[in-house]
Amino acid sequence: MSDDTIRLVTIGRIIRRRRRLLTVLALVGALVGYGTSLLIPPRYTTSASVLLPGAWEERELLTQSEIATSSVVVDRAAAALDWSGVSGRELRDQVSAKASDGNIIKISGTADTPERAQRLSDQVAQQYVTFAARIAGDNTDPEAAAGPEALRKMVVQTSRRITDLAEAADPGQTVESVQGRTELEKLRTTLQEAMDKLDQADPATNKANLVVMGPSARPAGEAPPTRMQLIVAGALLFFLVSVIGHLTAARVSRRLRTEPEIAAALGSALLGSVDVPGERPAHRPEDSALRPRIRRLLGLDIRWDVPTPQTSGDEASRQIRYRRVCARLRDQLPAPRRLLVVVPDGDEIARRAAGQLVAEAGSDLLLREVGVSVTRPMVPDRDNESGALVVLSAGSWTAGELAGIAEACADAKHEVVGIVLAGTVWTRPTRSAGRPRDAATPPLAVGNDARGGSG
């Protein structure tokens, strides 16, 4: 199986087994997004289009976009709007301009109401057109201003001179006279066309003819991010962070899940694996603390990083596993066969398995169960036992904790003769004649783990 498939399976397992927690966190994220939307007032955006006739280069269009959002234009728009408490400096953050195809400058205005957004974009567009026309007509260079006008006068004088020459030419119908008058007319036409092209290419003429292409449309909806977008983004963000947190926790977890790792940490061999039926602990009157209730409500009492327990055949098939472990112990130990069964405190699955193992042992195999704290492991001194048998569930303890149990056994002169891994299985529901159909066995218990499985 590829790594990608394993990741998808792991994510699916998180969603299935932590769906209550993920749902609650997603709702919290949605509430955070809603609260954020209350802090951010609604915004509305609309655009007004300004047409720039003639031929414009790309850099010239960029320059016009900068002019449209310049402080001069925005300040004039702010003065014309005369909004209370709103200055040109504040409006600069609410106005933008962008050059689009077709020599069109789109001026966008953003405000807290659709009406104000429409008025803002229209007023900035109008002030931009007025300011651009003023720039085009305000030419302070006398030589640059006199050059085109002198050229026009010269063209007019040349045209008149051509007319005089045509009239003074030989009025006869000779070939030379006709050709002369024809050439003069061509010259007059060429001069007029050149002058027309000069007028069309005059930047001052083009810039003075900017046109606002109608009023801007009143916005029908809020500008992003809307309240709904913030709510959805908050829920999605909290959901993804929760899933990533689960994956990170599993990645950095040092709990041992595989049989070779557990055997190496305890320094002994694995004698076998046994199963106990999966069941949820019954609620006890003394267990009235708020924290356990919350854990049960959110589904935190069910391990997600272990495979789903397999279905058990029946009680007889589970007892066969215990008998096989006891048979291996009889073959391995000399008489009298007495063993200390060591169970880590807090490992409910291992405790139940150890109790069943003690019950299945015969008269020739005496087993005594003791619980050992993993934080401060202490094992009773050796009396007449032949060694210690460690019973635990996979995926619950780190290598350091298991090494501490092994050292405690060695200090008490107990040799760890073997390891038994305990896991959970689903029990097939049994119904009596009067029992409802939907009364089934409760789901797996706290900290359940499959035999040697890896989550």
Side-chain angles (χ1 to χ4, degrees), residues 93-243:
D93 297 332
Q94 303 176 19
V95 175
S96 62
K98 181 180 179 181
S100 59
D101 296 337
N103 295 349
I104 295 178
I105 301 295
K106 287 190 175 181
I107 301 175
S108 301
T110 303
D112 54 357
T113 62
E115 295 79 6
R116 291 170 72 96
Q118 185 181 27
R119 290 184 57 193
L120 176 60
S121 58
D122 288 340
Q123 189 60 236
V124 173
Q126 186 62 42
Q127 294 297 331
Y128 161 61
V129 170
T130 303
F131 184 66
R134 178 181 175 184
I135 294 176
D138 188 13
N139 194 338
T140 58
D141 187 358
E143 295 183 358
E149 185 63 27
L151 182 58
R152 290 186 183 92
K153 292 180 179 180
M154 186 177 296
V155 170
V156 172
Q157 292 176 1
T158 303
S159 179
R160 293 175 181 175
R161 183 59 179 166
I162 290 174
T163 302
D164 294 340
L165 290 175
E167 292 177 352
D170 185 5
Q173 298 298 323
T174 61
V175 176
E176 291 79 2
S177 62
V178 173
Q179 290 180 349
R181 287 193 296 270
T182 303
E183 293 296 332
L184 290 174
E185 290 298 330
K186 289 181 178 180
L187 179 59
R188 187 204 311 275
T189 303
T190 302
L191 287 174
Q192 189 62 39
E193 292 177 352
M195 198 62 204
D196 293 340
K197 292 181 179 180
L198 180 62
D199 291 338
Q200 294 177 359
D202 188 2
T205 303
N206 288 332
K207 294 179 181 178
N209 292 332
L210 303 184
V211 179
V212 179
M213 300 175 62
S216 59
R218 180 167 296 185
E222 298 181 19
T226 63
R227 174 168 296 178
M228 183 56 64
Q229 289 175 341
L230 289 174
I231 293 175
V232 173
L236 183 61
L237 177 63
F238 273 59
F239 178 83
L240 292 179
V241 169
S242 302
V243 174

Side-chain angles (χ1 to χ4, degrees), residues 10-28 238-239 242-243 246 280 295-304 308 426 443-444:
T10 304
I11 293 175
R13 185 184 302 154
I14 294 173
I15 294 175
R16 288 194 307 271
R17 301 191 185 181
R18 288 289 187 265
R19 57 183 178 272
R20 293 182 182 178
L21 176 63
L22 295 177
T23 301
V24 171
L25 292 177
L27 291 177
V28 173
F238 273 59
F239 178 83
S242 302
V243 174
H246 280 79
R280 190 181 296 274
R295 288 181 61 86
R296 286 193 297 270
L297 179 63
L298 298 180
L300 298 179
D301 55 344
I302 300 177
R303 292 281 298 275
W304 71 268
T308 303
W426 293 108
L444 75 163

